[in-house]
Amino acid sequence: MEDLLAARLQMAISLGFHIIFACIGMAMPFLMAIAEYKWIKTGEQVYQDLAKAWSKGVAIFFATGAVSGTVLSFELGLLWPTFMEHAGPIFGMPFSWEGTAFFVEAIALGLFLYGWDKLKPWVHWGTGLVVGISGVASGIFVVAANAWMNSPAGFDWVNGEAINIDPVAAMFNDAWASQAIHMTIAAFVATGFGVAGLHALLLLKDRNNLFHRKALKIALAIGAVAAILQPISGDYSAKDVAERQPAKLAALESHFETERGADLIIGGIPDEENREVHFAIRIPGMLSFLAHGDLNAEVIGLEEFPEDEWPPVLVTHIAFQIMVGAGFLMMFVGLLYLFFYWKKKHLLFRRWFLWLVGICTPLGFIAVEAGWTVTEVGRQPWIIYEIMKTEDALSSMPGLQYPLYLIIALYLLLTVIVSWLMYRQVITLSDRYQTANLKAETDAD
C-alpha cells in the first residue's frame, strides 16, 4: 500500500469514528436537559430516569470522543508534518478555543453527573445546558479549522512561506459560517434520529413502555425540527461552495462542461473518461438555480480545471447523493411525526411508524459521514485549497500502513465497548418500565 493512501485512510477512519462521538457530544446534552426540565416541571419520575440514562451516555461518548480527538491531533503532526509546520501558527487559535470549551464541558458534566442531590434543581439543570453549549462550541471551533483548509485566509503566501499572519481572520474565514451551521444542524439530526430510532426499535417489543415512549417523543422532536432546517443550511452551503470551490461543486454534481441553465443531476454513475453520467435523472436549469439563484446562470464545469486537479468525481458524487437522499428521507419522517403529534397522536406508536423511525436510526450518521466525504475528498488534491497539495504535506516516514492497521483494530475494539456500554445503560432502565408494571399511558402529555 502506498504511504499517501495509507495516511489518507488512517485520517479518514479516525475522523469517521470521531465525528460520530463529536455529533453525539454536541446534541445529546440537550436531550438530557429537556428530560430534566420536564421532570422539574411535571415531577414525573420517568423524565428524571431519562435524564440520568442519557447523561451516562453523554459521559461515555465524552470519554471516547476525548480519546479519538487526541488521536487525530497526533495524526496531524505525525502524518502531515509539512502541513502543520505552515498551518499551525495560522489556524491554531480555534484549536486552543476548542480546548477551552472542552475543559468547560468536562467541569459542567462532572457537576451534572454528581450533583443530583447536591445542587438545586434549576442550578443542576443549568449545568446540563452548559455541557450542551460548550459541546456545540467545541464542535464549531474544530469546524472553523477545517473551513480554513477549504477557504485559506489570514496570511500571505510568499515563496512557499506564510507571512503577515492574522489568526482571527483565519478563524473567521469565508467558509466558517456555512460549514459551522450545516455541521451543527447535522449533529442534531443524526443524534435525534439515532436516539429516537433506538427507542422505536425497543418499543416494537413493548409498545406501552413509558420510558421508550417519552424518549422517542423528545428525541424525534429534536431530530424532526433539525431535519426540516437542514435543507436550508444545505442551500446556503451549496451557494458558498459554488462561489469558492467550483471544482468541488462540479465534482459532487458530476458537471463536466461549463454551461448556462445547467441541469441538476439526481443519482447516476459518473464516467470520467467519457465525461458523462449514466442512469441519472436530470432537472433542467435547477443546478444553476441552486448554485446561483438563477435558472440561466453559468455553472463552471470540470473542463475548466487541469485533470490532475480534479477531485475524485465518483466518490464525491456518490457521497453527495447519499447525504442528500438520507437527509430528505429524515425530513419526510420528521414532517410525518410533527403532523401525527399535532393531528393524529394515535398513530405515533403504530408498528409501521415505529419501523419507519427505526430504519432511520443510522441514517443521520450515514449522512454525516457522506457529508464529510464530500468536504474532504471534494477538496482533493489540495490539503490547503490552492496553496498546498496533500501529497506535498505527507510525512517521509516509511511503513505508514502499520499504524493504519493499528488504528483499525483500536476503533473496532472501541466500537464494541461503547456499543455494549450503551446497550447496558438503556436496557437497565428500560426494564423498570415494562408494560406489566405500568398504568395505561394517555396522550395528554
Side-chain angles (χ1 to χ4, degrees):
M1 182 183 295
E2 293 183 356
D3 285 340
L4 179 60
L5 177 60
R8 290 183 63 191
L9 284 175
Q10 184 174 337
M11 286 297 297
I13 292 170
S14 299
L15 181 59
F17 276 91
H18 178 70
I19 200 169
I20 294 175
F21 305 144
C23 284
I24 295 172
M26 291 170 71
M28 193 79 174
F30 290 98
L31 297 185
M32 73 182 191
I34 292 171
E36 185 177 14
Y37 174 84
K38 292 180 78 70
W39 170 65
I40 294 172
K41 297 294 288 186
T42 67
E44 294 184 44
Q45 184 62 39
V46 63
Y47 287 123
Q48 186 186 45
D49 288 341
L50 260 179
K52 288 184 175 180
W54 282 343
S55 68
K56 291 176 182 177
V58 170
I60 291 169
F61 283 106
F62 178 83
T64 51
V67 171
S68 59
T70 303
V71 170
L72 276 169
S73 299
F74 279 111
E75 286 175 341
L76 281 172
L78 293 173
L79 299 176
W80 315 103
T82 306
F83 165 72
M84 289 304 296
E85 176 187 354
H86 295 288
I90 305 172
F91 76 162
M93 190 173 76
F95 280 122
S96 65
W97 280 109
E98 189 274 337
T100 303
F102 175 83
F103 284 119
V104 172
E105 184 180 5
I107 294 168
L109 182 58
L111 290 171
F112 190 91
L113 291 173
Y114 298 104
W116 281 101
D117 301 321
K118 300 175 179 64
L119 300 174
K120 293 181 179 180
W122 286 112
V123 174
H124 185 267
W125 174 76
T127 65
L129 278 185
V130 173
V131 174
I133 292 169
S134 56
V136 169
S138 179
I140 289 175
F141 288 132
V142 172
V143 169
N146 179 267
W148 177 85
M149 297 165 69
N150 288 303
S151 181
F155 67 99
D156 294 320
W157 190 255
V158 179
N159 297 324
E161 296 290 336
I163 61 173
N164 301 325
I165 294 172
D166 182 351
V168 175
M171 178 172 169
F172 296 104
N173 56 79
D174 290 342
W176 173 79
S178 62
Q179 281 196 212
I181 293 170
H182 198 60
M183 183 64 228
T184 302
I185 296 175
F188 281 87
V189 175
T191 304
F193 274 91
V195 174
L198 173 63
H199 289 284
L201 292 173
L202 291 169
L203 276 170
L204 288 169
K205 299 180 180 179
D206 183 6
R207 279 197 288 167
N208 291 318
N209 189 299
L210 187 61
F211 182 81
H212 296 311
R213 281 180 169 239
K214 300 293 189 183
L216 184 144
K217 286 181 178 180
I218 294 173
L220 196 50
I222 294 295
V225 172
I228 293 167
L229 293 175
Q230 188 67 311
I232 301 173
S233 74
D235 180 69
Y236 175 38
S237 295
K239 287 179 169 59
D240 181 62
V241 169
E243 181 70 25
R244 292 182 301 94
Q245 294 178 291
K248 178 185 286 187
L249 178 73
L252 61 88
E253 274 296 323
S254 297
H255 184 65
F256 292 99
E257 298 179 0
T258 299
E259 61 180 335
R260 292 186 176 276
D263 298 346
L264 178 69
I265 294 176
I266 300 175
I269 301 175
D271 180 351
E272 293 185 50
E273 184 177 347
N274 296 310
R275 301 192 176 189
E276 58 185 12
V277 184
H278 303 291
F279 315 114
I281 299 171
R282 294 178 178 271
I283 304 178
M286 190 54 65
L287 179 58
S288 292
F289 180 77
L290 292 175
H292 302 292
D294 182 352
L295 287 169
N296 294 312
E298 181 179 81
V299 179
I300 297 173
L302 286 166
E303 66 179 1
E304 302 290 338
F305 305 92
E307 285 199 32
D308 64 350
E309 294 183 7
W310 286 15
V313 178
L314 179 64
V315 174
T316 307
H317 177 78
I318 291 177
F320 180 70
Q321 299 297 315
I322 291 172
M323 179 188 69
V324 173
F328 273 102
L329 179 56
M330 287 184 290
M331 184 181 71
F332 168 75
V333 175
L335 287 169
L336 201 59
Y337 168 75
L338 293 177
F339 173 74
F340 286 170
Y341 189 83
W342 179 41
K343 288 288 188 181
K344 305 281 185 180
K345 287 189 176 181
H346 65 282
L347 297 178
L348 284 177
F349 299 106
R350 293 289 176 87
R351 290 188 66 85
W352 68 268
F353 185 68
L354 293 176
W355 271 114
L356 185 59
V357 175
I359 290 170
C360 291
T361 304
L363 279 186
F365 295 108
I366 291 172
V368 167
E369 300 285 7
W372 273 97
T373 299
V374 172
T375 299
E376 299 300 293
V377 177
R379 189 182 60 245
Q380 299 303 315
W382 306 100
I383 192 168
I384 307 175
Y385 188 60
E386 294 188 330
I387 296 291
M388 181 185 294
K389 289 191 173 181
T390 305
E391 62 184 4
D392 297 329
L394 183 66
S395 169
S396 59
M397 181 178 67
L400 293 181
Q401 70 270 26
Y402 299 113
L404 168 63
Y405 302 148
L406 179 62
I407 285 294
I408 293 173
L410 172 65
Y411 280 118
L412 287 176
L413 177 62
L414 198 60
T415 300
V416 171
I417 293 173
V418 170
S419 299
W420 177 75
L421 287 172
M422 291 303 299
Y423 176 82
R424 182 181 176 187
Q425 290 299 326
V426 172
I427 293 302
T428 299
L429 275 173
S430 171
D431 289 345
R432 298 184 190 175
Y433 290 91
Q434 289 178 355
T435 303
N437 300 325
L438 294 179
K439 297 177 181 179
E441 180 198 17
T442 68
D443 286 319
D445 61 344

